[in-house]
mmCIF file of all heavy atoms in Angstrom:
data_model
loop_
_atom_site.group_PDB
_atom_site.id
_atom_site.type_symbol
_atom_site.label_atom_id
_atom_site.label_comp_id
_atom_site.label_asym_id
_atom_site.label_seq_id
_atom_site.Cartn_x
_atom_site.Cartn_y
_atom_site.Cartn_z
ATOM 1 N N LEU A 34 19.001 18.483 -57.812
ATOM 2 C CA LEU A 34 18.151 18.884 -56.693
ATOM 3 C C LEU A 34 19.000 19.474 -55.573
ATOM 4 O O LEU A 34 18.627 20.488 -54.968
ATOM 5 C CB LEU A 34 17.352 17.690 -56.180
ATOM 6 C CG LEU A 34 16.454 17.944 -54.951
ATOM 7 C CD1 LEU A 34 15.429 19.021 -55.246
ATOM 8 C CD2 LEU A 34 15.786 16.645 -54.512
ATOM 9 N N MET A 35 20.159 18.865 -55.287
ATOM 10 C CA MET A 35 21.036 19.386 -54.242
ATOM 11 C C MET A 35 21.539 20.781 -54.586
ATOM 12 O O MET A 35 21.691 21.646 -53.707
ATOM 13 C CB MET A 35 22.225 18.443 -54.021
ATOM 14 C CG MET A 35 21.862 17.073 -53.467
ATOM 15 S SD MET A 35 20.938 17.141 -51.913
ATOM 16 C CE MET A 35 19.306 16.613 -52.497
ATOM 17 N N LYS A 36 21.780 21.018 -55.854
ATOM 18 C CA LYS A 36 22.235 22.351 -56.274
ATOM 19 C C LYS A 36 21.156 23.400 -55.998
ATOM 20 O O LYS A 36 21.435 24.499 -55.509
ATOM 21 C CB LYS A 36 22.621 22.341 -57.759
ATOM 22 C CG LYS A 36 23.175 23.663 -58.254
ATOM 23 C CD LYS A 36 23.552 23.595 -59.726
ATOM 24 C CE LYS A 36 24.875 22.895 -59.920
ATOM 25 N NZ LYS A 36 26.018 23.760 -59.517
ATOM 26 N N GLU A 37 19.903 23.055 -56.300
ATOM 27 C CA GLU A 37 18.816 23.992 -56.031
ATOM 28 C C GLU A 37 18.637 24.212 -54.531
ATOM 29 O O GLU A 37 18.369 25.330 -54.088
ATOM 30 C CB GLU A 37 17.518 23.478 -56.656
ATOM 31 C CG GLU A 37 17.541 23.369 -58.178
ATOM 32 C CD GLU A 37 17.858 24.690 -58.861
ATOM 33 O OE1 GLU A 37 17.492 25.746 -58.310
ATOM 34 O OE2 GLU A 37 18.466 24.662 -59.945
ATOM 35 N N ILE A 38 18.791 23.163 -53.765
ATOM 36 C CA ILE A 38 18.710 23.280 -52.304
ATOM 37 C C ILE A 38 19.832 24.185 -51.794
ATOM 38 O O ILE A 38 19.605 25.073 -50.955
ATOM 39 C CB ILE A 38 18.780 21.882 -51.662
ATOM 40 C CG1 ILE A 38 17.449 21.154 -51.863
ATOM 41 C CG2 ILE A 38 19.136 21.963 -50.175
ATOM 42 C CD1 ILE A 38 17.471 19.688 -51.493
ATOM 43 N N GLY A 39 21.037 23.968 -52.297
ATOM 44 C CA GLY A 39 22.165 24.799 -51.885
ATOM 45 C C GLY A 39 21.954 26.262 -52.223
ATOM 46 O O GLY A 39 22.243 27.164 -51.413
ATOM 47 N N LYS A 40 21.413 26.533 -53.404
ATOM 48 C CA LYS A 40 21.154 27.912 -53.804
ATOM 49 C C LYS A 40 20.090 28.555 -52.919
ATOM 50 O O LYS A 40 20.184 29.733 -52.572
ATOM 51 C CB LYS A 40 20.734 27.973 -55.273
ATOM 52 C CG LYS A 40 21.871 27.726 -56.250
ATOM 53 C CD LYS A 40 21.515 28.120 -57.659
ATOM 54 C CE LYS A 40 20.505 27.212 -58.277
ATOM 55 N NZ LYS A 40 20.276 27.520 -59.719
ATOM 56 N N ARG A 41 19.082 27.761 -52.534
ATOM 57 C CA ARG A 41 18.045 28.327 -51.672
ATOM 58 C C ARG A 41 18.618 28.708 -50.305
ATOM 59 O O ARG A 41 18.334 29.779 -49.782
ATOM 60 C CB ARG A 41 16.894 27.338 -51.523
ATOM 61 C CG ARG A 41 15.776 27.788 -50.566
ATOM 62 C CD ARG A 41 15.185 29.149 -50.925
ATOM 63 N NE ARG A 41 14.517 29.170 -52.193
ATOM 64 C CZ ARG A 41 13.215 28.973 -52.371
ATOM 65 N NH1 ARG A 41 12.445 28.707 -51.338
ATOM 66 N NH2 ARG A 41 12.693 29.054 -53.575
ATOM 67 N N PHE A 42 19.442 27.841 -49.714
ATOM 68 C CA PHE A 42 20.069 28.188 -48.437
ATOM 69 C C PHE A 42 20.937 29.436 -48.589
ATOM 70 O O PHE A 42 20.958 30.311 -47.711
ATOM 71 C CB PHE A 42 20.918 27.033 -47.919
ATOM 72 C CG PHE A 42 20.136 25.915 -47.290
ATOM 73 C CD1 PHE A 42 20.414 24.592 -47.611
ATOM 74 C CD2 PHE A 42 19.141 26.169 -46.362
ATOM 75 C CE1 PHE A 42 19.689 23.549 -47.023
ATOM 76 C CE2 PHE A 42 18.411 25.144 -45.772
ATOM 77 C CZ PHE A 42 18.696 23.825 -46.112
ATOM 78 N N ALA A 43 21.655 29.528 -49.699
ATOM 79 C CA ALA A 43 22.512 30.690 -49.928
ATOM 80 C C ALA A 43 21.693 31.961 -50.045
ATOM 81 O O ALA A 43 22.110 33.031 -49.567
ATOM 82 C CB ALA A 43 23.351 30.473 -51.191
ATOM 83 N N GLN A 44 20.524 31.875 -50.658
ATOM 84 C CA GLN A 44 19.660 33.047 -50.764
ATOM 85 C C GLN A 44 19.167 33.497 -49.391
ATOM 86 O O GLN A 44 19.103 34.692 -49.101
ATOM 87 C CB GLN A 44 18.471 32.731 -51.673
ATOM 88 C CG GLN A 44 18.848 32.578 -53.137
ATOM 89 C CD GLN A 44 17.687 32.110 -53.992
ATOM 90 O OE1 GLN A 44 16.809 31.388 -53.509
ATOM 91 N NE2 GLN A 44 17.673 32.501 -55.247
#
Side-chain angles (χ1 to χ4, degrees):
L34 177 60
M35 294 304 109
K36 183 180 282 285
E37 297 302 329
I38 285 170
K40 287 194 290 186
R41 176 55 64 94
F42 282 134
Q44 290 173 330

